[in-house]
């Protein structure tokens, strides 16, 4: 951008400082400045090039936040500095959202601060959530409470469009000042909208279930919560949601098996939700963690609130938090009588505490989003009910795109002979073969073939549209497992659950015994295992489970197989016994051996369909252009003279290259017809990276993602790992250069968003999002080439 001369006075000083920040951010273009903000690049361009005009505070604030992330300037002090400069130019704008409010508490030496953190990409929605106050009182556990209030403050700030005046975090506040802090919170806006008050800290119990005192060691020094809630109810002011995470003495809780009730009135403007738990226990703080996790997923649009709701219904919020508490894996179950649940029943849809980022005023958009939700929730719930089935894996491979988008057309094409052969095999009452193996290099279509088979046959996947087949199996007669990152016990447990053999079965020998002892006249169950080569200790899977399964017979009917087994794996030497056994019996399907002419025709058919089906912000091609490109790409990808040493089967390369072409078609100034066809998987990724502006953190982050196991890697760990790898790269080429600091949350979020097509995002056990490459071959490539492509094809 061409920047004009600076004016004199306060306005010139503001723009001078803004240009210094702009310089340290690397002189980003207007589109990059607008990224992750709610403003257009034209607005950002006007801000930078019109130095004679006083900027609007929301635009300036968004620009400063974005530039701070790029320049790695500290966010909070920089925002305060620019607000002071803005005030000198414009004067105070009370009630405009542009001026920080006075401190909540300023005469007790209390630690008080605006909530901080870095911005996320905010999904579309409307409005802001209720203003919020988080009060935490430490319990002597070394900043334990500080961690929780910081996380809560950050996510509440995101829900309030990062307006720092609307969210306050206070630690170690005397009990006598809690109500005054709440009253100050109610005055920060001209309109008396809703507010959220979250209290976390120690307490004591009095003589009744309502007599709970917050921030108390001796009860006389604490805040009587029942009386506090009554005064909130009686006072004129906004509706209030009070969230409680209170730790009282263990003896008091042990003598209180009934549910806690802190407020007797049910027709109230005050809703109360929380827990009262034993002090210093493993349960304290869990409620605050659950609140933060649910609010973050709501902010990201990851929970299926109906798109017609501008705000999250309070009963849904309550139920989501309780589910998060009770279903947390690997944690102590939460006793029912520790809950506080005083949500007014007569106001199920009137609360405006949390904005629904998925709100859509347009009826057509609402319909499409709601239809997506039905299938997405179905897949998510099924994944929770059936361990290690991973329905999203099979579904995404079958539809032919990296992410499981239930409304997408099924792009699978070709492989008709292989598909009909396996479906007929599943239909046989007594199969001639008990073992079939699908093998081939990464990206040749193994998981796509198995995905079509599983989606058409699994009895729990009948709700998926588009998968109609005569091979739909009965409940208890079909099991499928995605073995990536699993140990033998996890695979065994999943098979046992799906076949109705009991949730306690985890040892391979117990599964074998249970299968062999099924009645002689019962159906022969089918078991599908994909990605054996990606399992943890795959040789153990082979020796302890798979090879014994292939030879297992019914005890009551010798000679009758106990099951039929279908396995997808790469043709590695260690799987030779399984592959050889399938080959000898006539059950081997080697997709690498498909004749070149048929593979070329199947690639062409897939590409014709794919190039006319845009998603992810792509542009589709007209039928004539799609035919021309499909013919050219299919020929090049099956040309034996091209170097494909870097790996990656032609179908995976076709998937990724088609996305690259269609993304280019959506941009002006790029002719997708001139883009060369990559020879292999690595070249696809490297070509895209080469087209980007240099970024010293992007490749280290991809290398870190390549090491992800199981569900993936969370952002908090990804930040540390990326910095570590980036510094190791830097020490190799420039050892005296200053150490690269740990990237901010916003920086990592931007990088993840820029390569989201290549990633799979899944909810982790702690409620946060975990990330990994959507295909193991991408992880393999980045592990082999962490520093860049090989010289022979660079």
């Amino acid at each position: 951008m061409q920047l004009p001369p600076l004016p004199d006075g306060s306005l010139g000083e503001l723009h001078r400082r803004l240009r210094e920040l702009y310089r340290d951010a690397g002189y980003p273009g207007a589109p990059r400045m607008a990224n992750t903000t709610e403003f257009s690049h034209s607005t950002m361009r006007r801000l930078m090039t019109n130095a004679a005009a006083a900027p609007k505070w929301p635009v300036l604030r968004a620009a400063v936040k974005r530039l701070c992330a790029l320049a790695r300037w500290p966010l909070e002090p920089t925002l305060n500095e620019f607000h002071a400069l803005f005030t000198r130019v414009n004067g105070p704008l009370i009630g405009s959202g542009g001026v920080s409010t006075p401190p909540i508490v300023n005469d007790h030496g209390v630690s008080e601060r605006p909530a901080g953190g870095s911005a996320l990409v905010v999904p579309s929605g409307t409005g802001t959530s209720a203003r919020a106050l988080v009060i935490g009182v430490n319990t002597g556990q070394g900043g334990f409470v500080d961690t929780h209030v910081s996380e809560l403050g950050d996510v509440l700030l995101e829900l309030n469009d990062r307006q720092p005046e609307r969210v306050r975090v206070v630690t170690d506040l005397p009990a006598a000042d809690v109500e005054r802090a709440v009253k100050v919170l109610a005055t920060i806006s001209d309109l008396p909208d809703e507010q959220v008050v979250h209290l976390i800290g120690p307490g004591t119990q009095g003589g009744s279930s309502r007599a709970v005192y917050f921030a108390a060691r001796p009860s006389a020094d604490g805040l009587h919560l029942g009386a506090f809630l009554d005064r909130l109810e009686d006072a004129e002011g906004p509706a209030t949601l009070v969230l409680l995470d209170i730790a009282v003495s263990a003896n008091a809780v042990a003598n209180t098996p009934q549910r806690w009730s802190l407020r007797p009135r049910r027709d109230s403007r005050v809703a109360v939700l929380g827990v009262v738990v034993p002090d210093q226990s493993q349960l304290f703080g869990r409620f605050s963690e659950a609140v933060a996790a649910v609010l973050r997923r709501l902010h990201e649009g990851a929970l299926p609130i109906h798109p017609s709701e501008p705000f999250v219904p309070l009963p849904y919020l309550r139920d989501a938090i309780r589910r998060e508490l009770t279903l947390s894996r690997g944690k102590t179950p939460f006793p029912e009588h520790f809950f506080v649940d005083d949500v007014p029943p007569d106001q199920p849809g009137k609360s405006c505490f949390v904005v629904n980022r998925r709100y859509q005023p347009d009826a057509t958009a609402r319909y499409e989003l709601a239809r997506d939700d039905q299938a997405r929730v179905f897949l998510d719930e099924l994944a929770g009910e059936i361990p290690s089935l991973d329905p999203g894996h099979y579904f995404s491979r079958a539809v032919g795109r990296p992410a499981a988008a239930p409304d997408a057309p099924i792009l699978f094409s070709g492989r008709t002979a292989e598909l009909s052969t396996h479906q007929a095999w599943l239909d046989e009452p007594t199969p001639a073969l008990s073992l079939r193996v699908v093998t081939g290099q990464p990206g040749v279509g193994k998981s796509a073939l198995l995905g079509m088979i599983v989606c058409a046959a699994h009895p729990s996947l009948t709700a998926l549209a588009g998968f109609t087949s005569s091979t739909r199996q009965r409940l208890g007669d079909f099991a499928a497992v995605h073995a990536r990152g699993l140990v033998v016990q996890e695979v065994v447990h999943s098979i046992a659950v799906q076949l109705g053999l009991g949730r306690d079965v985890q040892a391979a020998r117990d599964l074998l015994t249970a299968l062999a002892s099924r009645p002689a006249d019962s159906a022969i169950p089918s078991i599908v295992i994909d990605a054996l080569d990606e399992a943890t200790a795959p040789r153990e899977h082979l020796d302890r489970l798979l090879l014994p399964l292939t030879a297992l017979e019914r005890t009551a009917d010798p000679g009758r197989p106990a099951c039929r087994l279908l396995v997808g794996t790469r043709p590695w030497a260690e799987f030779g016994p399984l592959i050889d056994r399938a080959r000898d019996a006539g059950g081997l399907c080697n997709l690498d051996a498909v004749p070149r002419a048929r593979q070329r025709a199947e690639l062409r058919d897939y590409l014709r369909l794919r190039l006319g089906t845009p998603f992810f912000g792509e542009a589709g091609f007209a039928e004539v252009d799609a035919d021309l490109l499909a013919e050219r790409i299919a020929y090049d990808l099956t040309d034996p003279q091209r170097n494909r040493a870097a790996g990656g089967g032609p179908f995976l390369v076709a998937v990724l290259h088609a996305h690259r072409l269609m993304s280019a078609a959506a941009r002006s100034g790029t002719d997708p017809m001139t883009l060369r066809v990559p020879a292999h998987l690595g070249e696809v990724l490297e070509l895209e990276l080469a087209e980007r502006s240099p970024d010293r953190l992007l490749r280290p982050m991809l290398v870190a993602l390549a090491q992800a196991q199981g569900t993936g890697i969370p952002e908090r760990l990804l930040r540390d790992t990326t910095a570590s790898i980036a510094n190791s790269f830097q020490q190799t080429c420039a050892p005296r250069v200053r150490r690269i600091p740990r990237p901010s949350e916003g920086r990592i979020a931007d990088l993840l968003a820029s390569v989201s097509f290549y990633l799979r995002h899944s909810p982790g056990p702690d409620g946060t999002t975990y990330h990994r490459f959507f295909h193991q071959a991408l992880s393999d490539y980045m592990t082999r080439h962490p520093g860049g492509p090989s010289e022979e094809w660079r």
Side-chain angles (χ1 to χ4, degrees):
M1 285 182 281
Q2 186 69 32
L3 303 181
L6 292 174
D8 296 329
S10 299
L11 183 58
E13 177 62 19
L14 185 152
H15 278 282
R16 181 191 65 79
R17 191 61 174 147
L18 182 61
R19 290 183 187 183
E20 290 176 357
L21 177 57
Y22 179 66
R23 176 201 63 205
D24 288 358
Y27 299 105
R32 193 177 182 202
M33 280 187 64
N35 188 28
T36 76
T37 76
E38 65 270 35
F39 299 104
S40 68
H41 62 84
S42 298
T43 300
M44 290 298 172
R45 185 181 300 278
R46 282 195 300 270
L47 170 67
M48 298 303 301
T49 58
N50 189 6
K56 295 181 179 179
W57 172 245
V59 177
L60 180 61
R61 179 177 57 196
V64 169
K65 284 165 35 182
R66 176 63 176 150
L67 292 173
C68 279
L70 297 174
R72 289 185 286 279
W73 281 24
L75 178 61
E76 188 174 326
T78 305
L79 274 175
N80 290 339
E81 176 189 358
F82 274 93
H83 183 264
L85 292 169
F86 174 84
T87 303
R88 287 182 210 154
V89 173
N90 296 277
L93 300 177
I94 303 299
S96 69
V99 176
S100 299
T101 56
I104 293 176
V105 177
N106 56 17
D107 54 355
H108 292 281
V110 175
S111 168
E112 191 269 350
R113 62 191 184 278
S118 55
L120 294 177
V121 179
V122 180
S124 62
T126 181
T128 58
S129 294
R131 54 179 175 260
L133 169 67
V134 181
I135 298 176
V137 175
N138 282 294
T139 60
Q141 296 187 18
F144 174 77
V145 168
D146 285 347
T147 301
H148 289 300
V149 298
S150 178
E151 173 67 15
L152 278 166
D154 190 54
V155 69
L156 286 166
L157 189 60
E158 290 161 2
L159 287 163
N160 274 280
D161 287 344
R162 306 204 66 82
Q163 299 180 40
E165 68 278 3
R166 292 184 61 84
V167 179
R168 291 290 173 180
V169 170
V170 186
T171 54
D172 295 329
L173 182 70
D177 290 319
V178 170
E179 287 190 72
R180 187 157 66 91
V182 174
K183 290 178 181 178
V184 173
L185 177 71
T187 66
I188 67 172
S189 175
D190 292 337
L191 298 175
D193 57 284
E194 283 76 3
Q195 61 188 16
V196 176
V197 177
H198 188 107
L199 306 179
I200 173 174
T204 59
Q205 184 186 10
S208 70
S209 61
R210 294 191 72 228
V212 177
Y213 296 82
F214 172 67
R217 278 132 186 122
S219 60
D221 294 336
L223 173 69
H224 189 293
L225 288 176
F228 165 65
L229 295 170
D230 287 340
R231 288 191 291 272
L232 272 179
E233 174 64 37
D234 294 337
E236 292 184 3
T240 305
L241 171 62
V242 179
L243 303 171
L244 301 174
D245 197 344
I246 310 297
V248 301
S249 67
N251 291 336
V253 174
N255 296 324
T256 312
Q258 76 277 11
R259 185 179 66 82
W260 293 85
S261 180
L262 302 178
R263 183 178 49 78
R265 296 170 57 177
R266 305 300 291 166
D267 56 342
S268 176
R269 293 183 300 104
V270 178
V272 186
L273 182 64
V275 295
V276 179
V277 302
D279 192 14
Q280 303 292 328
S281 76
Q282 71 275 20
L283 298 177
F284 180 49
R286 285 262 304 277
F287 178 77
S288 297
E289 290 177 0
V291 171
V294 169
L295 291 181
R296 191 169 295 282
R297 291 207 293 274
L298 288 169
H299 171 68
E300 294 170 350
L303 294 182
I305 309 299
H306 197 277
S308 64
E309 297 282 353
F311 292 87
V312 177
L314 189 53
Y316 182 96
L317 180 64
R318 173 196 61 198
D319 295 343
I321 293 172
R322 293 190 67 155
R323 279 196 303 272
E324 184 71 24
L325 268 175
T326 56
L327 299 179
S328 298
R329 292 189 295 174
K331 294 186 177 181
T332 305
F334 220 93
E336 179 68 22
H337 64 275
F338 290 172
F339 283 100
V340 179
D341 182 359
D342 289 319
V343 174
D346 57 340
Q347 295 181 338
K350 298 178 182 178
S351 65
C352 301
F353 295 112
V354 180
V355 68
N356 179 16
R357 295 299 191 194
R358 305 175 73 257
Y359 171 67
Q360 288 286 353
D362 179 72
T364 301
R366 283 202 306 268
Y367 172 77
E368 292 297 329
L369 195 55
R371 189 179 66 173
D372 290 356
D373 285 343
Q374 293 172 3
R376 183 165 63 86
V377 170
F378 168 74
L379 290 174
D380 290 345
E381 289 180 350
L382 186 61
E385 294 170 4
I386 304 178
S388 306
L389 166 62
D390 196 359
H393 162 76
Y394 289 106
F395 181 76
S396 64
R397 295 306 189 270
V399 299
R401 56 181 288 179
D407 67 327
I410 299 172
L411 300 179
F412 181 91
S413 59
R415 306 290 191 241
T416 53
E418 292 81 2
L419 187 59
S420 61
T421 295
H422 287 87
Q423 289 180 335
W425 175 66
L426 290 173
D427 279 338
E428 296 177 26
T430 303
L433 305 175
S434 61
L435 170 67
R436 285 189 175 275
V437 173
V438 178
T439 190
Q441 65 179 312
V444 77
K446 302 185 299 296
S447 292
L449 177 62
L450 293 180
M452 288 295 294
I453 293 169
V454 169
C455 288
H458 201 292
S460 297
L461 294 176
T462 54
L464 291 179
F467 295 97
T468 56
S469 171
S470 60
T471 61
R472 182 71 64 187
Q473 304 294 299
R474 295 184 304 175
L475 195 65
D477 289 342
F478 192 92
V481 182
H482 180 209
R484 185 183 194 273
L486 302 184
V487 298
V488 176
Q489 291 85 346
E490 292 173 302
V491 172
V492 167
H493 178 57
S494 180
I495 294 172
V497 169
Q498 294 178 68
L499 296 184
L501 302 177
R503 290 185 173 270
D504 296 331
V505 177
Q506 293 189 350
R509 62 178 178 274
D510 294 338
L511 176 64
L512 295 170
T513 300
L515 286 171
S517 61
R518 286 172 66 123
D521 58 350
S522 64
I524 297 176
S526 303
I527 300 172
V528 178
I529 297 179
D530 190 24
L532 170 62
D533 48 284
E534 300 173 30
T536 299
R539 186 70 201 197
E540 291 187 15
H541 290 258
L542 194 69
D543 294 337
R544 294 170 54 186
L545 178 63
L546 301 183
L547 288 176
L549 279 176
T550 64
L552 191 65
E553 297 181 352
R554 290 281 173 88
T555 302
D557 187 6
R560 181 178 173 86
C563 68
R564 75 190 94 206
L565 179 65
L566 174 59
V567 180
T569 184
R570 300 189 206 184
W572 289 354
E574 63 183 298
F575 303 134
L578 186 72
I579 293 173
D580 291 344
R581 188 170 298 186
R583 179 187 294 109
D584 293 344
L588 180 64
C589 175
N590 184 0
L591 295 179
D592 288 337
V594 172
R596 187 175 298 114
R598 180 158 76 91
Q599 188 173 78
R600 184 173 293 170
E602 291 176 347
L603 274 170
R604 183 179 61 243
D605 293 342
Y606 162 75
L607 284 164
R608 282 173 175 162
L609 182 59
R610 173 67 181 93
L611 291 169
T613 311
F615 42 75
F616 286 128
E618 304 165 337
F621 288 89
E623 184 176 349
V624 173
D625 291 337
D627 287 347
L628 180 64
L629 280 169
E631 187 74 39
R632 173 190 167 197
I633 296 169
Y635 181 88
D636 284 351
L637 289 179
T638 54
D639 183 355
Q641 303 302 316
R642 303 194 75 191
N643 171 26
R644 298 175 59 211
F651 273 94
L652 178 57
V653 176
V655 168
L656 298 179
H657 184 57
H659 169 65
R660 181 167 174 259
L661 288 173
M662 299 171 78
S663 297
R667 302 190 300 265
S668 60
T670 304
D671 183 3
M673 306 297 285
T674 64
L675 297 179
R676 74 174 186 179
V677 180
H680 46 69
L681 172 66
E683 190 175 356
V684 179
L685 189 57
E686 296 294 356
L687 284 172
E688 175 152 337
L689 294 178
E691 294 172 355
R692 299 168 181 260
S693 300
D695 191 312
R696 61 180 179 173
L697 288 178
L698 179 55
R699 194 173 196 97
M701 186 190 75
L702 295 176
V703 174
L705 286 166
Q707 313 310 312
Q709 302 295 317
T711 305
I713 182 172
E715 288 184 28
R716 63 179 183 276
L717 181 58
L718 188 60
R719 293 168 64 194
D720 293 319
T721 310
T722 298
S724 177
I725 294 173
N727 280 297
S728 68
F729 285 177
Q730 182 168 276
Q731 289 300 309
T732 301
C733 59
R736 295 185 179 181
V737 176
R738 189 174 65 179
R739 183 172 180 81
I740 299 173
R742 180 174 184 250
S744 67
E745 291 180 4
R747 181 87 160 93
I748 286 293
D750 287 346
L751 291 173
L752 287 169
S754 72
V755 292
S756 61
F757 181 84
Y758 297 92
L759 305 181
R760 182 176 179 186
H761 316 279
S762 306
D766 58 356
T768 60
T769 302
Y770 281 49
H771 311 271
R772 66 174 174 85
F773 282 114
F774 83 89
H775 200 287
Q776 182 63 32
L778 288 164
S779 296
D780 294 343
Y781 172 79
M782 194 54 65
T783 300
R784 290 195 304 267
H785 303 280
S790 302
E791 288 293 339
E792 64 266 20
W793 59 271
R794 183 176 296 173

